[in-house]
Coordinates of all heavy atoms in Angstrom, one line a residue:
Chain A
M16 N 96.9 71.9 70.3 CA 96.8 73.1 71.2 C 96.1 72.7 72.4 O 96.4 73.0 73.5 CB 96.1 74.2 70.4 CG 96.1 75.5 71.2 SD 97.8 76.2 71.3 CE 97.5 77.8 71.9
W17 N 95.0 71.9 72.3 CA 94.2 71.5 73.4 C 95.0 70.7 74.4 O 94.6 70.6 75.6 CB 92.9 70.8 72.9 CG 93.2 69.5 72.2 CD1 93.3 69.4 70.8 CD2 93.4 68.2 72.7 NE1 93.6 68.1 70.5 CE2 93.7 67.4 71.6 CE3 93.4 67.7 74.0 CZ2 93.9 66.0 71.8 CZ3 93.7 66.3 74.2 CH2 93.9 65.5 73.0
R18 N 96.1 70.1 73.9 CA 96.8 69.2 74.7 C 97.5 69.9 75.9 O 97.9 69.3 76.9 CB 97.9 68.5 73.9 CG 97.3 67.4 73.0 CD 98.4 66.7 72.2 NE 97.8 65.6 71.4 CZ 97.2 65.9 70.2 NH1 97.1 67.1 69.8 NH2 96.6 64.9 69.5
M19 N 97.6 71.2 75.8 CA 98.2 72.0 76.9 C 97.4 71.7 78.2 O 97.9 71.8 79.3 CB 98.2 73.5 76.6 CG 96.9 74.2 76.5 SD 97.1 75.9 76.1 CE 97.7 76.5 77.7
W20 N 96.1 71.4 78.1 CA 95.2 71.2 79.2 C 95.4 69.9 79.9 O 94.9 69.5 80.9 CB 93.8 71.5 78.9 CG 93.6 72.8 78.3 CD1 93.1 73.0 77.0 CD2 93.9 74.1 78.8 NE1 93.1 74.4 76.8 CE2 93.6 75.0 77.8 CE3 94.4 74.5 80.1 CZ2 93.8 76.4 78.0 CZ3 94.6 75.9 80.3 CH2 94.3 76.8 79.3
L21 N 96.3 69.1 79.2 CA 96.7 67.8 79.8 C 97.9 68.0 80.7 O 98.2 67.3 81.6 CB 97.0 66.8 78.7 CG 95.9 66.5 77.7 CD1 96.4 65.5 76.7 CD2 94.7 65.9 78.4
L22 N 98.5 69.2 80.5 CA 99.7 69.6 81.3 C 99.3 70.6 82.4 O 99.7 70.4 83.6 CB 100.8 70.2 80.4 CG 101.3 69.3 79.3 CD1 102.2 70.1 78.4 CD2 102.0 68.1 79.9
F23 N 98.6 71.6 82.0 CA 98.3 72.7 83.0 C 96.9 72.6 83.5 O 95.9 72.3 82.8 CB 98.5 74.0 82.3 CG 99.8 74.3 81.8 CD1 100.1 74.2 80.4 CD2 100.9 74.6 82.6 CE1 101.4 74.5 79.9 CE2 102.1 74.8 82.2 CZ 102.4 74.7 80.8
D24 N 96.7 72.7 84.8 CA 95.4 72.7 85.4 C 94.6 73.9 85.0 O 95.0 75.0 85.3 CB 95.6 72.6 87.0 CG 94.3 72.7 87.7 OD1 93.3 72.3 87.1 OD2 94.3 73.2 88.9
P25 N 93.5 73.7 84.4 CA 92.7 74.8 83.9 C 92.3 75.8 85.0 O 92.4 77.1 84.7 CB 91.4 74.2 83.4 CG 91.8 72.8 83.0 CD 92.9 72.4 84.0
R26 N 92.0 75.4 86.2 CA 91.6 76.4 87.2 C 92.8 77.3 87.5 O 92.6 78.5 87.5 CB 91.2 75.7 88.5 CG 89.8 75.1 88.4 CD 89.5 74.1 89.5 NE 90.5 73.0 89.4 CZ 90.5 71.9 90.3 NH1 89.7 71.9 91.2 NH2 91.4 71.0 90.1
R27 N 93.9 76.8 87.8 CA 95.0 77.6 88.2 C 95.4 78.5 87.0 O 95.8 79.7 87.1 CB 96.2 76.8 88.7 CG 96.2 76.7 90.2 CD 97.4 76.0 90.6 NE 97.2 74.5 90.5 CZ 98.1 73.6 90.8 NH1 99.4 74.0 91.1 NH2 97.9 72.3 90.7
T28 N 95.4 77.9 85.8 CA 95.8 78.7 84.6 C 94.8 79.8 84.4 O 95.2 80.9 84.1 CB 95.7 77.7 83.4 OG1 96.5 76.6 83.6 CG2 96.2 78.4 82.1
L29 N 93.5 79.6 84.5 CA 92.5 80.7 84.3 C 92.8 81.8 85.3 O 92.8 83.0 85.0 CB 91.1 80.1 84.5 CG 90.4 79.5 83.4 CD1 89.0 79.1 83.7 CD2 90.5 80.4 82.1
I30 N 93.0 81.4 86.6 CA 93.3 82.5 87.6 C 94.6 83.2 87.2 O 94.6 84.5 87.3 CB 93.4 81.9 89.0 CG1 92.0 81.3 89.4 CG2 93.9 82.9 90.0 CD1 92.1 80.5 90.7
A31 N 95.6 82.5 86.8 CA 96.9 83.2 86.5 C 96.7 84.1 85.3 O 97.1 85.3 85.3 CB 97.9 82.1 86.2
V32 N 96.0 83.6 84.2 CA 95.8 84.4 83.0 C 95.0 85.6 83.3 O 95.3 86.8 82.9 CB 95.2 83.6 81.9 CG1 94.7 84.4 80.8 CG2 96.2 82.6 81.4
A33 N 93.9 85.5 84.1 CA 93.0 86.6 84.4 C 93.8 87.6 85.2 O 93.7 88.8 85.0 CB 91.8 86.1 85.2
T34 N 94.6 87.2 86.2 CA 95.3 88.1 87.0 C 96.3 88.9 86.2 O 96.4 90.1 86.3 CB 96.1 87.4 88.1 OG1 95.1 86.6 88.8 CG2 96.8 88.3 89.1
F35 N 97.0 88.2 85.3 CA 98.0 88.8 84.5 C 97.4 89.8 83.5 O 97.8 90.9 83.4 CB 98.8 87.7 83.7 CG 99.7 88.3 82.6 CD1 100.9 88.9 83.0 CD2 99.4 88.3 81.3 CE1 101.8 89.5 82.1 CE2 100.2 88.8 80.3 CZ 101.4 89.4 80.7
A36 N 96.3 89.4 82.9 CA 95.6 90.3 82.0 C 95.0 91.5 82.7 O 95.2 92.6 82.2 CB 94.4 89.5 81.3
F37 N 94.5 91.3 83.9 CA 94.0 92.5 84.6 C 95.1 93.5 84.9 O 95.0 94.7 84.7 CB 93.3 92.0 85.9 CG 92.8 93.2 86.8 CD1 91.6 93.8 86.4 CD2 93.5 93.6 87.9 CE1 91.1 94.9 87.2 CE2 93.0 94.7 88.6 CZ 91.8 95.3 88.3
G38 N 96.2 92.9 85.3 CA 97.4 93.8 85.6 C 97.8 94.6 84.4 O 98.1 95.8 84.5
M39 N 97.9 93.9 83.3 CA 98.4 94.5 82.1 C 97.4 95.6 81.6 O 97.7 96.7 81.2 CB 98.5 93.5 80.9 CG 99.7 92.6 81.1 SD 101.3 93.5 81.3 CE 101.5 94.3 79.8
V40 N 96.1 95.3 81.7 CA 95.1 96.2 81.3 C 95.1 97.5 82.2 O 95.1 98.6 81.7 CB 93.7 95.6 81.4 CG1 92.6 96.6 81.3 CG2 93.5 94.6 80.2
M41 N 95.3 97.3 83.5 CA 95.3 98.4 84.4 C 96.6 99.3 84.1 O 96.5 100.5 84.0 CB 95.4 97.9 85.9 CG 94.1 97.4 86.4 SD 92.8 98.6 86.4 CE 93.3 99.7 87.7
L42 N 97.7 98.6 83.9 CA 99.0 99.3 83.6 C 98.8 100.1 82.3 O 99.1 101.3 82.3 CB 100.1 98.3 83.4 CG 101.5 98.8 83.1 CD1 102.0 99.5 84.4 CD2 102.4 97.7 82.8
N43 N 98.3 99.5 81.3 CA 98.2 100.3 80.0 C 97.2 101.4 80.1 O 97.4 102.5 79.6 CB 97.7 99.3 78.9 CG 98.9 98.3 78.6 OD1 100.0 98.6 78.8 ND2 98.5 97.1 78.2
H44 N 96.1 101.2 80.8 CA 95.1 102.3 80.9 C 95.7 103.5 81.7 O 95.6 104.6 81.2 CB 93.8 101.9 81.6 CG 92.9 101.2 80.7 ND1 92.9 99.8 80.4 CD2 91.8 101.7 80.0 CE1 91.9 99.5 79.6 NE2 91.3 100.6 79.3
L45 N 96.4 103.2 82.8 CA 97.0 104.3 83.5 C 98.1 105.0 82.8 O 98.3 106.2 82.8 CB 97.5 103.7 84.9 CG 96.4 103.3 85.8 CD1 97.0 102.7 87.1 CD2 95.5 104.4 86.2
I46 N 98.9 104.2 82.0 CA 99.9 104.8 81.2 C 99.3 105.8 80.2 O 99.7 106.9 80.0 CB 100.8 103.7 80.5 CG1 101.7 103.0 81.5 CG2 101.6 104.4 79.3 CD1 102.4 101.8 80.9
Q47 N 98.2 105.3 79.5 CA 97.6 106.2 78.5 C 97.0 107.4 79.2 O 97.1 108.5 78.6 CB 96.5 105.4 77.7 CG 97.1 104.3 76.9 CD 98.2 104.8 75.9 OE1 98.0 105.9 75.4 NE2 99.2 104.1 75.8
L48 N 96.4 107.2 80.3 CA 95.8 108.3 81.0 C 96.8 109.4 81.5 O 96.5 110.5 81.7 CB 95.0 107.8 82.2 CG 93.6 107.2 81.9 CD1 93.0 106.6 83.1 CD2 92.7 108.2 81.3
S49 N 98.1 108.9 81.5 CA 99.1 109.9 82.0 C 99.7 110.7 80.8 O 100.6 111.5 80.9 CB 100.2 109.1 82.6 OG 100.9 108.4 81.7
T50 N 99.2 110.4 79.6 CA 99.7 111.1 78.4 C 98.8 112.3 78.1 O 97.6 112.3 78.4 CB 99.7 110.2 77.2 OG1 98.3 109.9 76.9 CG2 100.5 109.0 77.4
P51 N 99.4 113.4 77.5 CA 98.5 114.6 77.2 C 97.4 114.2 76.2 O 96.3 114.7 76.3 CB 99.5 115.6 76.7 CG 100.7 114.8 76.3 CD 100.8 113.6 77.2
R52 N 97.8 113.3 75.3 CA 96.8 113.0 74.2 C 95.6 112.3 74.7 O 94.5 112.7 74.3 CB 97.5 112.1 73.1 CG 96.6 111.9 71.9 CD 97.4 111.3 70.8 NE 96.6 111.2 69.6 CZ 96.3 112.2 68.8 NH1 96.7 113.4 69.1 NH2 95.5 112.1 67.8
Y53 N 95.8 111.3 75.6 CA 94.6 110.6 76.1 C 94.2 110.8 77.5 O 93.3 110.2 78.0 CB 94.9 109.1 75.8 CG 95.0 108.7 74.4 CD1 96.2 108.4 73.8 CD2 93.9 108.8 73.6 CE1 96.3 108.1 72.5 CE2 94.0 108.5 72.2 CZ 95.2 108.1 71.7 OH 95.3 107.8 70.3
G54 N 94.9 111.7 78.2 CA 94.6 112.0 79.6 C 94.2 113.4 79.9 O 93.9 113.7 81.0
S55 N 94.3 114.2 78.8 CA 94.1 115.7 79.1 C 92.6 115.9 79.6 O 92.4 116.9 80.2 CB 94.3 116.5 77.8 OG 93.4 116.0 76.8
W56 N 91.7 115.0 79.3 CA 90.3 115.3 79.7 C 90.1 115.1 81.2 O 89.1 115.5 81.7 CB 89.3 114.3 78.9 CG 89.7 112.9 79.1 CD1 90.6 112.1 78.5 CD2 89.1 112.0 80.1 NE1 90.6 110.9 79.0 CE2 89.7 110.8 80.0 CE3 88.1 112.2 81.1 CZ2 89.4 109.7 80.8 CZ3 87.8 111.1 81.9 CH2 88.4 109.9 81.7
L57 N 91.1 114.7 81.9 CA 91.0 114.4 83.3 C 90.9 115.7 84.1 O 90.1 116.0 84.9 CB 92.1 113.5 83.8 CG 91.9 112.1 83.5 CD1 93.1 111.3 84.0 CD2 90.7 111.5 84.1
N58 N 91.9 116.6 83.8 CA 91.9 117.9 84.6 C 91.1 119.0 83.9 O 90.4 119.8 84.5 CB 93.3 118.3 85.0 CG 94.2 117.9 83.8 OD1 93.9 118.1 82.7 ND2 95.4 117.4 84.2
A59 N 91.3 119.1 82.6 CA 90.6 120.2 81.9 C 89.1 119.9 81.9 O 88.7 118.9 81.5 CB 91.1 120.3 80.5
P60 N 88.3 120.9 82.4 CA 86.8 120.7 82.3 C 86.4 120.6 80.9 O 86.9 121.3 80.0 CB 86.2 121.9 83.0 CG 87.3 122.9 82.9 CD 88.6 122.2 82.9
L61 N 85.4 119.7 80.6 CA 84.8 119.5 79.2 C 84.2 120.9 78.8 O 83.5 121.5 79.7 CB 83.8 118.4 79.2 CG 84.4 117.0 79.3 CD1 83.3 115.9 79.2 CD2 85.5 116.8 78.2
A62 N 84.3 121.2 77.6 CA 83.8 122.5 77.1 C 82.3 122.5 77.4 O 81.7 123.5 78.0 CB 84.0 122.6 75.6
S63 N 81.6 121.4 77.1 CA 80.1 121.4 77.2 C 79.7 121.3 78.7 O 78.7 121.9 79.1 CB 79.6 120.3 76.4 OG 80.1 119.1 77.0
T64 N 80.4 120.7 79.5 CA 79.9 120.5 80.9 C 80.9 121.2 81.9 O 81.5 120.6 82.7 CB 79.9 119.0 81.3 OG1 81.3 118.5 81.1 CG2 79.0 118.2 80.3
A65 N 81.0 122.5 81.7 CA 82.0 123.3 82.5 C 81.5 123.1 84.0 O 80.3 123.2 84.3 CB 82.0 124.7 82.1
A66 N 82.5 123.0 84.9 CA 82.1 122.8 86.3 C 81.5 124.1 86.8 O 82.0 125.2 86.4 CB 83.4 122.4 87.1
P67 N 80.5 124.0 87.7 CA 79.9 125.3 88.2 C 81.0 126.0 89.0 O 81.8 125.4 89.7 CB 78.8 124.8 89.1 CG 79.0 123.4 89.3 CD 79.8 122.9 88.2
K68 N 81.0 127.4 89.0 CA 82.0 128.1 89.7 C 81.8 128.0 91.2 O 80.6 127.9 91.6 CB 82.0 129.6 89.3 CG 82.5 129.8 87.9 CD 84.1 129.6 87.9 CE 84.6 129.7 86.5 NZ 84.2 128.5 85.7
Chain B
M10 N 85.1 55.9 86.7 CA 85.9 57.2 86.6 C 86.8 57.0 85.3 O 87.4 56.0 85.1 CB 86.9 57.3 87.8 CG 86.4 58.4 88.7 SD 87.1 59.9 88.2 CE 88.8 59.8 88.9
A11 N 86.9 58.2 84.5 CA 87.6 58.1 83.3 C 89.1 57.9 83.6 O 89.5 58.2 84.7 CB 87.5 59.4 82.5
E12 N 89.8 57.4 82.6 CA 91.3 57.1 82.8 C 92.0 58.5 83.0 O 91.8 59.4 82.2 CB 91.8 56.4 81.6 CG 93.3 56.1 81.7 CD 93.6 55.3 83.0 OE1 92.8 54.4 83.3 OE2 94.6 55.7 83.7
R13 N 92.7 58.7 84.1 CA 93.3 60.0 84.4 C 94.8 59.8 84.6 O 95.3 59.6 85.7 CB 92.8 60.6 85.7 CG 91.3 61.0 85.5 CD 90.8 61.8 86.7 NE 89.4 62.1 86.5 CZ 88.9 62.9 85.7 NH1 89.7 63.6 84.9 NH2 87.6 63.1 85.6
D14 N 95.6 59.8 83.5 CA 97.0 59.6 83.6 C 97.8 60.8 83.1 O 98.9 60.7 82.6 CB 97.5 58.3 82.9 CG 97.0 58.4 81.4 OD1 96.4 59.5 81.1 OD2 97.3 57.5 80.7
T15 N 97.1 62.0 83.2 CA 97.8 63.2 82.7 C 98.2 64.0 83.9 O 97.7 63.9 85.0 CB 96.8 64.0 81.8 OG1 95.7 64.4 82.7 CG2 96.3 63.3 80.7
L16 N 99.1 65.0 83.6 CA 99.6 65.8 84.7 C 98.5 66.7 85.3 O 98.5 67.0 86.5 CB 100.8 66.7 84.2 CG 102.1 66.0 83.9 CD1 103.1 66.9 83.2 CD2 102.6 65.3 85.1
S17 N 97.6 67.1 84.5 CA 96.6 68.1 85.0 C 95.4 67.3 85.6 O 94.6 67.9 86.3 CB 96.1 69.0 83.9 OG 95.4 68.2 82.9
G18 N 95.3 66.0 85.2 CA 94.2 65.2 85.8 C 93.0 65.2 84.8 O 92.1 64.6 85.1
L19 N 93.1 66.0 83.7 CA 92.0 66.0 82.8 C 92.2 64.9 81.8 O 93.3 64.5 81.5 CB 92.0 67.3 82.0 CG 91.2 68.5 82.6 CD1 91.9 69.1 83.8 CD2 90.9 69.6 81.6
T20 N 91.1 64.4 81.3 CA 91.1 63.4 80.2 C 91.2 64.2 78.9 O 91.0 65.4 78.9 CB 89.8 62.5 80.2 OG1 88.8 63.4 79.9 CG2 89.6 61.9 81.5
A21 N 91.5 63.5 77.8 CA 91.6 64.2 76.5 C 90.3 64.8 76.2 O 90.3 66.0 75.7 CB 92.0 63.2 75.5
A22 N 89.2 64.2 76.4 CA 87.9 64.7 76.1 C 87.6 66.0 76.9 O 87.2 67.0 76.4 CB 86.8 63.7 76.4
E23 N 88.0 66.0 78.2 CA 87.8 67.2 79.0 C 88.7 68.3 78.6 O 88.3 69.5 78.5 CB 88.1 66.8 80.5 CG 87.0 66.0 81.2 CD 87.5 65.4 82.5 OE1 88.7 65.4 82.7 OE2 86.7 64.9 83.2
A24 N 89.9 68.0 78.2 CA 90.8 69.0 77.7 C 90.3 69.7 76.5 O 90.3 70.9 76.3 CB 92.2 68.4 77.5
K25 N 89.8 68.9 75.5 CA 89.2 69.4 74.3 C 88.1 70.3 74.6 O 87.9 71.4 74.1 CB 88.8 68.3 73.3 CG 90.0 67.7 72.6 CD 89.5 66.5 71.7 CE 90.7 65.8 71.0 NZ 90.3 64.5 70.4
E26 N 87.2 69.8 75.5 CA 86.0 70.6 75.8 C 86.4 71.9 76.4 O 85.9 73.0 76.0 CB 85.1 69.8 76.7 CG 83.8 70.5 77.1 CD 83.0 69.9 78.2 OE1 83.6 69.0 78.9 OE2 81.9 70.2 78.5
F27 N 87.3 71.9 77.4 CA 87.7 73.1 78.1 C 88.4 74.1 77.1 O 88.1 75.3 77.1 CB 88.7 72.8 79.2 CG 89.2 74.1 79.9 CD1 88.4 74.8 80.8 CD2 90.5 74.6 79.5 CE1 88.9 75.9 81.3 CE2 90.9 75.7 80.1 CZ 90.2 76.4 81.0
H28 N 89.2 73.5 76.2 CA 89.9 74.3 75.2 C 88.9 75.1 74.3 O 89.1 76.3 74.0 CB 90.8 73.5 74.3 CG 91.7 74.3 73.5 ND1 92.7 75.1 74.0 CD2 91.8 74.4 72.1 CE1 93.3 75.7 73.0 NE2 92.8 75.3 71.9
S29 N 87.8 74.5 74.0 CA 86.8 75.2 73.1 C 86.2 76.4 73.9 O 86.1 77.5 73.3 CB 85.7 74.3 72.6 OG 84.9 73.9 73.7
F30 N 85.9 76.2 75.1 CA 85.4 77.3 75.9 C 86.5 78.4 76.1 O 86.2 79.6 76.0 CB 84.9 76.8 77.3 CG 83.7 76.0 77.2 CD1 83.7 74.7 77.8 CD2 82.6 76.4 76.5 CE1 82.5 73.9 77.7 CE2 81.5 75.6 76.4 CZ 81.4 74.3 77.0
F31 N 87.7 77.9 76.4 CA 88.8 78.9 76.6 C 89.0 79.7 75.4 O 89.2 80.9 75.5 CB 90.1 78.1 76.9 CG 91.2 78.9 77.3 CD1 91.4 79.5 78.6 CD2 92.2 79.2 76.3 CE1 92.5 80.2 78.9 CE2 93.3 80.0 76.7 CZ 93.4 80.5 77.9
M32 N 88.9 79.1 74.2 CA 89.2 79.9 72.9 C 88.0 80.8 72.7 O 88.2 82.0 72.2 CB 89.3 78.9 71.8 CG 90.6 78.1 71.8 SD 92.1 79.2 72.1 CE 92.1 80.1 70.6
Q33 N 86.8 80.4 73.0 CA 85.6 81.3 72.9 C 85.8 82.6 73.7 O 85.7 83.7 73.3 CB 84.3 80.6 73.3 CG 83.7 79.8 72.2 CD 82.5 79.1 72.8 OE1 81.7 79.7 73.6 NE2 82.3 77.8 72.5
G34 N 86.2 82.3 75.0 CA 86.4 83.5 75.9 C 87.5 84.4 75.4 O 87.4 85.6 75.4
T35 N 88.6 83.8 74.9 CA 89.7 84.6 74.4 C 89.3 85.4 73.2 O 89.6 86.6 73.1 CB 90.9 83.6 74.0 OG1 91.2 82.8 75.1 CG2 92.1 84.4 73.6
L36 N 88.6 84.8 72.3 CA 88.2 85.5 71.1 C 87.2 86.6 71.5 O 87.2 87.7 70.9 CB 87.5 84.6 70.1 CG 88.6 83.6 69.5 CD1 87.9 82.6 68.5 CD2 89.7 84.3 68.8
G37 N 86.3 86.4 72.4 CA 85.4 87.4 72.9 C 86.2 88.6 73.4 O 85.9 89.8 73.1
F38 N 87.2 88.3 74.2 CA 88.1 89.4 74.8 C 88.7 90.2 73.7 O 88.7 91.4 73.7 CB 89.1 88.7 75.7 CG 90.1 89.7 76.3 CD1 89.8 90.3 77.5 CD2 91.3 90.0 75.7 CE1 90.7 91.2 78.1 CE2 92.2 90.9 76.2 CZ 91.9 91.5 77.4
V39 N 89.2 89.5 72.7 CA 89.9 90.2 71.6 C 88.9 91.0 70.8 O 89.2 92.2 70.4 CB 90.6 89.1 70.7 CG1 91.1 89.8 69.4 CG2 91.8 88.5 71.4
A40 N 87.7 90.5 70.6 CA 86.7 91.2 69.8 C 86.3 92.5 70.5 O 86.3 93.6 69.9 CB 85.5 90.4 69.6
I41 N 86.1 92.4 71.8 CA 85.7 93.6 72.6 C 86.9 94.6 72.6 O 86.7 95.8 72.3 CB 85.4 93.3 74.1 CG1 84.1 92.5 74.1 CG2 85.3 94.5 74.9 CD1 83.8 91.8 75.4
S42 N 88.1 94.1 72.7 CA 89.3 95.0 72.7 C 89.4 95.7 71.3 O 89.7 96.9 71.2 CB 90.5 94.2 73.0 OG 91.7 95.0 72.8
A43 N 89.1 94.9 70.2 CA 89.3 95.5 68.9 C 88.3 96.6 68.7 O 88.6 97.7 68.2 CB 89.1 94.4 67.9
V44 N 87.0 96.4 69.2 CA 86.0 97.5 69.0 C 86.4 98.7 69.8 O 86.4 99.8 69.3 CB 84.7 97.0 69.5 CG1 83.7 98.1 69.7 CG2 84.1 95.9 68.6
A45 N 87.0 98.5 71.0 CA 87.4 99.6 71.9 C 88.5 100.4 71.2 O 88.5 101.6 71.1 CB 87.9 99.1 73.2
H46 N 89.5 99.7 70.6 CA 90.6 100.4 69.9 C 90.1 101.1 68.7 O 90.6 102.2 68.4 CB 91.7 99.4 69.6 CG 92.5 98.9 70.7 ND1 92.1 98.0 71.6 CD2 93.7 99.4 71.2 CE1 93.1 97.8 72.5 NE2 94.0 98.7 72.3
L47 N 89.1 100.5 68.0 CA 88.6 101.2 66.8 C 87.9 102.5 67.2 O 88.1 103.6 66.6 CB 87.5 100.3 66.1 CG 86.9 100.8 64.8 CD1 88.0 100.9 63.7 CD2 85.7 100.0 64.4
L48 N 87.1 102.5 68.3 CA 86.5 103.7 68.8 C 87.5 104.8 69.2 O 87.4 105.9 68.8 CB 85.6 103.4 70.0 CG 84.4 102.5 69.6 CD1 83.6 102.1 70.9 CD2 83.4 103.2 68.7
I49 N 88.6 104.3 69.9 CA 89.6 105.3 70.3 C 90.3 105.8 69.1 O 90.6 107.0 69.0 CB 90.6 104.6 71.2 CG1 90.0 104.2 72.5 CG2 91.9 105.5 71.4 CD1 89.7 105.3 73.5
W50 N 90.5 105.0 68.1 CA 91.2 105.5 66.9 C 90.3 106.5 66.2 O 90.8 107.6 65.7 CB 91.5 104.3 65.9 CG 92.1 104.8 64.6 CD1 91.5 105.2 63.5 CD2 93.5 104.9 64.4 NE1 92.4 105.6 62.5 CE2 93.7 105.4 63.1 CE3 94.7 104.7 65.2 CZ2 94.9 105.6 62.5 CZ3 95.9 104.9 64.6 CH2 96.0 105.4 63.3
M51 N 89.0 106.3 66.1 CA 88.1 107.3 65.5 C 88.2 108.6 66.3 O 88.0 109.7 65.8 CB 86.7 106.7 65.4 CG 86.6 105.6 64.3 SD 85.3 104.4 64.6 CE 83.9 105.5 64.9
W52 N 88.4 108.5 67.6 CA 88.4 109.7 68.5 C 89.7 110.4 68.3 O 89.8 111.6 67.9 CB 88.2 109.3 69.9 CG 88.3 110.4 70.9 CD1 87.8 111.6 70.8 CD2 89.1 110.4 72.1 NE1 88.1 112.4 71.9 CE2 88.9 111.7 72.7 CE3 89.9 109.4 72.8 CZ2 89.5 112.0 73.9 CZ3 90.5 109.8 74.0 CH2 90.3 111.0 74.5
R53 N 90.8 109.7 68.6 CA 92.1 110.3 68.5 C 93.2 109.3 68.0 O 93.7 108.6 68.8 CB 92.6 110.8 69.9 CG 91.9 112.1 70.3 CD 92.5 112.7 71.5 NE 91.7 113.9 71.9 CZ 91.8 114.5 73.1 NH1 92.7 114.0 74.0 NH2 91.1 115.6 73.4
P54 N 93.4 109.3 66.7 CA 94.4 108.3 66.1 C 95.8 108.5 66.7 O 96.1 109.7 67.0 CB 94.4 108.6 64.6 CG 93.5 109.7 64.4 CD 92.8 110.1 65.7
W55 N 96.5 107.4 66.9 CA 97.8 107.6 67.6 C 99.0 107.6 66.6 O 100.1 107.6 67.0 CB 98.0 106.5 68.6 CG 97.6 105.1 68.2 CD1 98.5 104.2 67.6 CD2 96.4 104.5 68.4 NE1 97.8 103.0 67.3 CE2 96.5 103.2 67.8 CE3 95.1 104.8 68.9 CZ2 95.4 102.2 67.8 CZ3 94.1 103.9 68.9 CH2 94.2 102.7 68.3
F56 N 98.6 107.5 65.3 CA 99.7 107.6 64.3 C 99.4 108.8 63.4 O 98.3 109.0 63.1 CB 99.9 106.4 63.4 CG 100.5 105.2 64.2 CD1 99.9 104.0 64.3 CD2 101.8 105.4 64.8 CE1 100.5 102.9 65.0 CE2 102.3 104.3 65.5 CZ 101.7 103.1 65.7

């Protein structure tokens, strides 16, 4: 497995993997936040911390 | 200078050393993600 670093330059690979992972993480978080199950807390005020009128 | 006849320019020793750090970082990422998913599951299970 370590032999892959004889083929791929670690610096470019790290940047590519980090960019790809960041993109996927952002995509998945935004998708989940757009669902009623995991995103409903965004617009509905929390019961305990109701926004002042 | 160490013998550098690989495509990436790393020697076998450097590749092994980098790989151990790379795997540590990856496992750390997976561990943090597993804890986060466990917390989310305890909050609102998705199945």
Side-chain angles (χ1 to χ4, degrees):
Chain A
M16 189 66 171
W17 60 269
R18 288 182 177 78
M19 67 182 285
W20 308 116
L21 302 178
L22 300 173
F23 299 105
D24 174 23
R26 282 164 301 179
R27 264 183 281 175
T28 307
L29 277 184
I30 291 169
V32 166
T34 307
F35 173 74
F37 179 77
M39 288 307 293
V40 164
M41 288 299 288
L42 182 69
N43 290 332
H44 277 87
L45 291 178
I46 288 174
Q47 292 306 321
L48 283 173
S49 70
T50 63
R52 184 167 185 75
Y53 293 109
S55 57
W56 57 277
L57 283 178
N58 33 39
L61 289 181
S63 58
T64 57
K68 288 289 175 287
Chain B
M10 251 274 277
E12 181 51 43
R13 291 190 187 286
D14 55 2
T15 61
L16 289 174
S17 65
L19 271 73
T20 65
E23 287 165 343
K25 278 178 186 166
E26 181 191 12
F27 176 78
H28 189 63
S29 69
F30 292 129
F31 184 81
M32 290 311 291
Q33 274 177 40
T35 304
L36 292 180
F38 177 87
V39 168
I41 291 169
S42 172
V44 168
H46 282 83
L47 183 68
L48 293 174
I49 292 288
W50 179 271
M51 286 154 52
W52 174 48
R53 283 187 184 170
W55 46 88
F56 285 123

